[in-house]
Amino acid sequence: MAEINGQTAIYGIIGNPIGHTLSPMIHNGISEALKINAVYVPFAVNDDLSCVVNGLYSLGVKGINVTVPYKRGIIDKLCGADSMALKIGAVNTLKLTPDGYYGYNTDILGLDRELEDEGIGLKGRDVIILGAGGAARAAAFLCASKSPASITMINRTPEKAQAIMDDVTAYAQENGIYLPGSAADIITIEEAGRLQGNGYIVFQCTNVGLAPKDNECVIDDMRFYDKVSTGVDLIYRPAKTMFMKHVETAGGAAYNGLKMLIYQAVCAYEIWHDIKVPREVIPKIEKMLNDSLKEG
Ligand code: ATR
């Protein structure tokens, strides 16, 4: 890391627990590559978010990432937030302004950049979202904004999927996005094998299959995977989840969530520093993360 001196700008991440975060490695890696005098540190904070935000503001911390469990609760502590972040109801990036912190959701921007990077276009495609938690909600909004042919949500608890689809449908209507029949396309995990259609792009947004439970997968029925052409798992630990293995066994292409993680950080970095992170930095960061994940 570059030398810390009187001009070093401070950035960081708040969450609880925070010990496993890879964000300092990404942000400090970018600063080092670009020779920018900044440092990024983890803050394990308590639930008193007003106190946390006021403290960070008083200390002049220029940018903050927010992780579990504060992405929703942080919103009313801000001086404002990006309209998409407000729709999703989750903020993961704060930028210091004279009036307080302004919020963004770079998880959704990161997923968008991952899709662009991998050449996965959603326009006119049949999309499936697996899960109905916070990650699924962000993915559903991104998918809706890309004019797919359809969005189907599959979740253990269909009511949670319905709540997301209601909000996504309202968002699509407000923004003139046509989503044919989307509000009706909610099915249970047991029904997944009987799904009609083909060539689906699937976003795996549950936490099933996350290390150390590498052998678990939210859908085991191989008839489902026969209909999948592309599977994007938001999990990056392990590097190849059981979901990804099933997609590949059935002849589809599978991607993990590492690029989304990197790009959500890159998008935050660009917002904070008002620069474009050069493309050639990305493989260096990816290698660093892969090495670190292999070490466990
Ligand atoms: P995140 O914010 O990371 O998305 P979350 O909000 O806890 O995490 O959501 C986890 C998702 O994984 C949910 O969709 C959850 O299903 P329910 O909505 O039915 O709770 C899904 N999930 C977790 N464990 C599961 C399991 N064993 N089988 C099926 N789905 C599971």
Side-chain angles (χ1 to χ4, degrees):
M1 190 183 298
E3 187 196 332
I4 292 175
N5 56 31
Q7 274 81 50
T8 304
I10 300 175
Y11 297 81
I13 179 165
I14 59 170
N16 192 359
I18 198 75
H20 285 100
T21 179
L22 293 170
S23 293
M25 187 179 283
I26 306 176
H27 283 272
N28 291 322
I30 299 173
S31 291
E32 194 156 329
L34 302 184
K35 306 214 174 338
I36 288 176
N37 189 1
V39 65
Y40 182 106
V41 291
F43 295 106
V45 298
N46 59 34
D47 291 343
D48 188 350
L49 287 182
S50 296
C51 192
V52 168
V53 168
N54 288 339
L56 293 165
Y57 183 80
S58 296
L59 290 169
V61 175
K62 293 199 165 175
I64 301 290
N65 280 136
V66 183
T67 188
V68 179
Y70 302 124
K71 288 186 188 186
R72 183 175 282 271
I74 199 79
I75 294 177
D76 67 2
K77 314 295 178 217
L78 308 178
C79 64
D82 171 73
S83 65
M84 187 57 128
L86 290 175
K87 291 268 180 234
I88 298 168
V91 157
N92 79 319
T93 297
L94 314 184
K95 180 172 182 159
L96 183 69
T97 76
D99 301 328
Y101 285 103
Y102 191 87
Y104 302 85
N105 187 311
T106 67
D107 289 330
I108 192 168
L109 300 175
L111 182 56
D112 195 13
R113 289 266 278 266
E114 171 178 359
L115 297 181
E116 193 188 308
D117 209 49
E118 306 289 11
I120 303 168
L122 302 184
K123 193 171 187 328
R125 299 295 301 270
D126 293 309
V127 172
I128 294 176
I129 313 268
L130 218 43
R137 191 175 163 84
F141 273 88
L142 175 68
C143 292
S145 73
K146 300 282 171 187
S147 300
S150 68
I151 300 179
T152 302
M153 289 195 82
I154 302 179
N155 197 43
R156 180 176 59 181
T157 317
E159 303 80 52
K160 284 168 73 179
Q162 186 66 61
I164 293 177
M165 278 314 258
D166 289 349
D167 289 350
V168 167
T169 305
Y171 159 79
Q173 274 164 1
E174 280 163 27
N175 292 280
I177 298 165
Y178 175 58
L179 278 182
S182 60
D185 291 337
I186 290 167
I187 62 173
T188 62
I189 290 169
E190 292 70 33
E191 290 164 334
R194 298 194 293 274
L195 200 69
Q196 301 298 312
N198 249 309
Y200 286 99
I201 299 179
V202 183
F203 292 88
Q204 201 302 107
C205 307
T206 78
N207 39 30
V208 183
L210 188 66
K213 297 184 175 172
D214 301 25
N215 290 328
E216 294 186 3
C217 185
V218 70
I219 298 176
D220 290 315
D221 189 337
M222 284 311 288
R223 289 176 302 170
F224 170 74
Y225 296 94
D226 287 339
K227 293 162 185 157
V228 176
S229 68
T230 305
V232 181
D233 201 325
L234 270 54
I235 293 174
Y236 53 84
R237 224 184 316 229
K240 191 170 280 188
T241 61
M242 193 49 85
F243 167 80
M244 292 167 65
K245 287 179 188 169
H246 285 338
V247 169
E248 288 180 352
T249 301
Y255 305 86
N256 69 20
L258 195 67
K259 281 212 171 136
M260 178 183 174
L261 175 79
I262 295 171
Y263 281 129
Q264 65 74 28
V266 166
C267 291
Y269 201 99
E270 292 180 347
I271 288 169
W272 291 335
H273 296 268
D274 214 7
I275 57 159
K276 186 100 186 119
V277 174
R279 282 190 81 85
E280 57 270 23
V281 173
I282 309 297
K284 289 182 198 157
I285 302 292
E286 200 176 352
K287 183 178 178 322
M288 212 162 62
L289 289 178
N290 274 322
D291 290 349
S292 154
L293 287 167
K294 266 184 219 137
E295 282 166 19

